Amino acid sequence: MSLERIVIENIKRIRKEKSISQEKLAELCETSTSYIGSMETYKNVPKLSTIEKIASALNVAPQTLFFEEKEAKRQKIAPNKKMLQKIKNEIIRNFEKEIDKLLKNFL
């Protein structure tokens, strides 16, 4: 799939997921509804400055619009894995401290 198509598909998908109409998106981006419609039907390709406005209106990072949906989901999950690993490590450290305290009482 071309990068242009990926960006447009992502804009359309995210707009629908957030229940934002083409009219509302156009208003938020200070453009026309017909522009959004023609973009979503691949008749217009948005400039980078327009992509930035659209990303802001959709409340997403602009770079997310450039990933294929599967990759975008993976990118979203990656930081959560790091956070979970930190939490896991903290739990293990605390558990080890408690075990050490218990063992000292028995030795």
Side-chain angles (χ1 to χ4, degrees):
M1 190 181 317
S2 74
L3 187 56
E4 290 172 353
R5 194 166 189 91
I6 290 168
V7 170
I8 292 168
E9 284 293 320
N10 283 332
I11 290 169
K12 190 176 180 179
R13 176 182 51 78
I14 294 167
R15 177 184 65 74
K16 288 180 176 184
E17 286 174 357
K18 296 188 176 216
S19 301
I20 297 173
S21 67
Q22 288 183 347
E23 293 81 10
K24 183 64 177 174
L25 182 59
E27 180 186 319
L28 293 169
C29 297
E30 299 173 345
T31 191
S32 68
T33 303
S34 63
Y35 176 81
I36 299 296
S38 64
M39 178 194 62
E40 288 189 0
T41 55
Y42 310 102
K43 293 176 185 145
N44 276 330
V45 177
K47 295 180 192 177
L48 288 176
S49 58
T50 305
I51 291 171
E52 287 178 319
K53 287 180 182 180
I54 292 171
S56 177
L58 295 174
N59 199 28
V60 296
Q63 61 269 25
T64 2
L65 299 176
F66 292 88
F67 292 112
E68 290 191 68
E69 186 177 0
K70 185 177 179 181
E71 178 65 14
K73 286 179 181 175
R74 192 185 69 72
Q75 293 287 333
K76 214 178 211 181
I77 292 170
N80 292 335
K81 284 183 180 178
K82 287 180 184 177
M83 182 181 68
L84 290 173
Q85 187 61 47
K86 281 184 176 181
I87 292 169
K88 177 183 170 186
N89 291 341
E90 183 64 27
I91 290 170
I92 290 170
R93 277 193 297 275
N94 288 335
F95 183 74
E96 287 173 342
K97 285 179 187 177
E98 291 301 316
I99 294 279
D100 285 345
K101 285 180 189 177
L102 288 171
L103 287 175
K104 283 181 183 178
N105 288 336
F106 289 106
L107 296 176

